[in-house]
Amino acid sequence: VLSEPETALVLQGAYDRFFDKILSSSRTDLAKEMYSRSTISGSDNTKIPLPPKRLLTPADIRSLEAFILDQATNGKFVPVDKQIDNIESNEKSFASSIEAQRRLASDIRKLFATRSDRIQRLADTLLRERFFRSSANLRLQLDDDLQFKQALNCIRDRARYDAILQRSSSL
């Protein structure tokens, strides 16, 4: 589950605008690699080569933070609690408040300082979604899903699995 600031950045297009910027300028190599992998069609016998789990470098994440901070100080983003039905008028009124912009910038810095790994995973997932079918994305997400791994381990442990089934049949 995303935090409110993370949700706000996704909903307000922060990641998409950043990807548009870097894929057409500083990371054309990444765009070419992702596009070439995504155009391979997999049949039943062929696995589509997945991209690496980490697409963006630490430098890319620092650039993402700088990009979002720049957008925030220019009134392009508003915190979740300031959102209303009419986003455009809200952005204009919020942008006029220097103090509110400073608070937002501080919140963004805290978010990147405390949740950088999570931001990395979210950014990688959102970038991957631009190029790959949902089945490829799902395979990558399941690799990182702790509950899914625990469930698989339970199923593979036949005695444990049978014990669970016995308990459920006695209910």
Side-chain angles (χ1 to χ4, degrees):
V1 177
L2 297 179
S3 67
E4 286 185 3
E6 290 168 322
T7 302
L9 293 175
V10 171
L11 291 177
Q12 295 178 48
Y15 290 96
D16 287 331
R17 287 196 291 266
F18 176 72
F19 296 149
D20 290 344
K21 177 185 167 197
I22 68 162
L23 292 176
S24 64
S25 61
S26 63
R27 291 302 308 273
T28 55
D29 61 314
L30 179 60
K32 287 176 187 172
E33 178 187 351
M34 294 294 287
Y35 182 72
S36 68
R37 287 177 187 253
S38 69
T39 57
I40 298 170
S41 61
S43 66
D44 290 337
N45 300 327
T46 318
K47 277 191 169 179
I48 297 172
L50 294 173
K53 285 189 181 194
R54 297 288 179 157
L55 300 175
L56 299 172
T57 66
D60 292 331
I61 298 302
R62 288 189 300 275
S63 294
L64 173 62
E65 180 180 9
F67 176 81
I68 290 173
L69 283 169
D70 179 63
Q71 297 286 298
T73 57
N74 290 315
K76 300 287 183 191
F77 301 119
V78 295
V80 173
D81 62 346
K82 300 290 181 191
Q83 291 180 10
I84 55 173
D85 292 334
N86 188 348
I87 292 281
E88 285 184 24
S89 68
N90 192 35
E91 284 180 341
K92 289 175 186 168
S93 64
F94 183 76
S96 64
S97 168
I98 301 293
E99 181 56 35
Q101 287 177 1
R102 285 187 188 132
R103 280 194 316 269
L104 180 57
S106 174
D107 290 347
I108 290 169
R109 283 187 193 93
K110 285 179 194 169
L111 179 66
F112 275 83
T114 60
R115 304 184 99 158
S116 63
D117 190 54
R118 186 177 165 115
I119 289 170
Q120 169 86 47
R121 285 194 313 270
L122 176 61
D124 284 343
T125 299
L126 293 172
L127 181 57
R128 210 176 279 109
E129 285 176 355
R130 287 180 158 221
F131 294 95
F132 285 88
R133 297 191 304 250
S134 60
S135 60
N137 285 321
L138 182 59
R139 281 183 21 219
L140 282 168
Q141 289 170 353
L142 288 176
D143 285 344
D144 287 336
D145 190 318
L146 182 60
Q147 291 174 334
F148 179 72
K149 286 179 183 178
Q150 290 172 341
L152 281 179
N153 289 337
C154 178
I155 291 171
R156 289 181 183 137
D157 181 347
R158 191 65 185 176
R160 185 175 166 203
Y161 182 71
D162 288 342
I164 292 171
L165 291 178
Q166 283 242 299
R167 275 187 267 156
S168 66
S169 67
S170 65
L171 294 177

